[in-house]
């Protein structure tokens, strides 16, 4: 038997090699009929959260990038608010913008009403998909948006894959055994 959520989300390709989390968040936000910020805005907010948590490596890198921008007099079109006003893309000369573009961020589950765990059973996936709820899965390297499953034989998750940058892979079939073998896996249920 196979099952998909009603009106599966459209694929959103990640814009950089690091922004699968931002593309996944955009897919979930669109599915939930929520405001959908740009991937840059999502990545910037994620980086600011990491900075606010006081990670010394991230703080040092951000401070260094800010000092370089100051020396080069780069201060426009860095923040999402500046970009909203200017209508320009992020300043390509900014070290801070470069840092945002290469930062692997975190999925903003708390804003979307999601709960996070490190495990989920096939029964949980069946229940969520049957209730038209998406599930985001990932590990330390990549995020996917699960919108369906097949269980006529081995249990297989059907997910939108935002990689590669600028294209996305469309639907990725993820066998249950492969998913269960992932290290550092995360499951976000809505």
């Amino acid at each position: 038997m196979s099952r998909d959520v009603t009106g599966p989300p459209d694929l959103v390709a990640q814009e950089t090699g690091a922004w699968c989390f931002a593309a996944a968040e955009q897919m979930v936000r669109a599915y939930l009929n929520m405001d959908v910020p740009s991937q840059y805005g999502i990545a910037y907010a994620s980086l600011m959260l990491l900075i606010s948590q006081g990670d010394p490596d991230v703080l040092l890198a951000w401070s260094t990038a800010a000092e370089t921008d100051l020396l080069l007099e780069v201060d426009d079109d860095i923040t999402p608010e500046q970009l909203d006003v200017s209508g320009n893309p992020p300043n390509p000369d900014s070290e801070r913008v470069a840092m945002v573009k290469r930062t692997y961020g975190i999925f903003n589950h708390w804003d979307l009403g999601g709960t996070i765990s490190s495990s989920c059973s096939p029964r949980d996936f069946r229940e969520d998909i049957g209730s038209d709820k998406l599930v985001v899965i990932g590990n330390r390297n990549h995020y996917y948006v699960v919108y369906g499953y097949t269980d006529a034989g081995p249990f297989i998750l059907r997910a939108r894959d935002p990689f590669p940058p600028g294209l996305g892979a469309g639907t990725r079939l993820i066998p249950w055994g492969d998913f269960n073998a992932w290290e550092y896996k995360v499951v976000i249920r809505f």
Side-chain angles (χ1 to χ4, degrees), residues 3-188:
R3 180 78 188 256
D4 291 345
V5 297
T6 303
D10 292 332
L11 173 66
V12 174
Q14 60 193 74
E15 294 174 14
T16 75
W19 286 358
C20 59
F21 71 98
E25 185 174 325
Q26 284 184 319
M27 287 185 260
V28 171
R29 284 178 172 277
Y31 184 80
L32 297 174
N33 295 312
M34 298 176 77
D35 179 48
V36 181
S38 69
Q39 287 185 30
Y40 181 86
I42 292 168
Y44 185 90
S46 179
L47 181 58
M48 292 302 104
L49 179 63
L50 292 172
I51 288 169
S52 73
Q53 292 176 348
D55 180 299
D57 294 332
V58 176
L59 282 170
L60 178 60
W62 185 255
S63 296
T64 302
E67 287 174 16
T68 302
D69 282 353
L70 182 63
L71 289 170
L72 298 175
E73 298 180 2
V74 176
D75 61 359
D76 292 331
D77 300 326
I78 307 291
T79 70
E81 295 77 21
Q82 289 169 330
L83 298 172
D84 285 344
V85 171
S86 73
N88 294 328
N91 191 324
D93 298 324
S94 169
E95 288 298 314
R96 288 173 288 172
V97 168
M99 186 173 170
V100 172
K101 287 185 175 185
R102 66 179 177 265
T103 295
Y104 289 86
I106 53 177
F107 190 94
N108 183 356
H109 67 281
W110 53 91
D111 242 14
L112 305 175
T115 57
I116 194 166
S117 72
S118 61
S119 65
C120 198
S121 69
R123 180 176 162 225
D124 295 326
F125 281 101
R126 286 185 192 100
E127 181 180 297
D128 288 344
I129 300 303
S131 299
D132 284 332
K133 296 177 182 177
L134 298 176
V135 180
V136 174
I137 60 172
N139 57 29
R140 67 169 38 164
N141 298 316
H142 196 53
Y143 284 99
Y144 302 87
V145 178
V146 177
Y147 67 89
Y149 64 86
T150 300
D151 63 0
F155 191 74
I156 298 173
L157 300 171
R158 284 200 299 280
R160 296 286 189 232
D161 183 356
F163 187 81
L167 297 173
T171 296
R172 176 81 60 199
L173 301 177
I174 304 169
W176 183 254
D178 292 355
F179 170 70
N180 257 345
W182 289 358
E183 288 189 278
Y184 309 106
K185 73 176 165 271
V186 63
V187 177
I188 304 170

